[in-house]
C-alpha cells in the first residue's frame, strides 16, 4: 500500500470505496456498539446531564487507547 501523498488522483479515488467499507465495518464493531450504547444512555437520561462530559472523556479514552486507558483509570482511583 502506497501512501496517499505518493498516489495519483486516480488511485486515491479508486481506494475510497475500500475506505468506506472499512469505516462501516468499524462502526458495526465493538467501538460502534459502545458509542451507540452511550448515546442511548444519554437519551434515556440514565446518565445524569452533569456527568455527560466526564462520561464522554472516559468513553473516548477507552475507545482510543483500549486497555491502557483502563489501567490509567484504575491508577486514578488509588
Amino acid at each position: 500500500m502506497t501512501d496517499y501523498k505518493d498516489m495519483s488522483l486516480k488511485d486515491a479515488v479508486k481506494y475510497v470505496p475500500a475506505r468506506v467499507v472499512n469505516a462501516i465495518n468499524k462502526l458495526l464493531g465493538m467501538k460502534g456498539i459502545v458509542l451507540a450504547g452511550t448515546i442511548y444512555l444519554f437519551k434515556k437520561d440514565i446518565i445524569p446531564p452533569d456527568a455527560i462530559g466526564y462520561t464522554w472523556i472516559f468513553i473516548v479514552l477507552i475507545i482510543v487507547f483500549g486497555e491502557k486507558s483502563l489501567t490509567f483509570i484504575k491508577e486514578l482511583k488509588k
Side-chain angles (χ1 to χ4, degrees):
M1 178 72 202
T2 58
D3 204 11
Y4 275 115
K5 63 182 178 183
D6 299 331
M7 287 184 181
S8 67
L9 178 64
K10 184 178 177 183
D11 292 334
V13 171
K14 284 182 184 178
Y15 190 60
V16 169
R19 299 277 299 191
V20 170
V21 169
N22 287 336
I24 292 170
N25 185 27
K26 287 186 179 195
L27 283 175
L28 294 177
M30 183 56 84
K31 293 177 183 179
I33 292 170
V34 168
L35 288 175
T38 304
I39 291 169
Y40 173 78
L41 293 175
F42 291 155
K43 296 288 183 186
K44 293 294 182 179
D45 290 330
I46 295 172
I47 296 177
D50 296 337
I52 288 177
Y54 297 113
T55 304
W56 274 122
I57 290 170
F58 286 122
I59 293 297
V60 168
L61 279 174
I62 291 168
I63 288 176
V64 171
F65 297 110
E67 290 183 25
K68 290 182 182 180
S69 65
L70 294 175
T71 305
F72 175 73
I73 292 170
K74 183 180 173 183
E75 292 295 323
L76 282 178
K77 289 175 69 177
K78 289 183 179 179

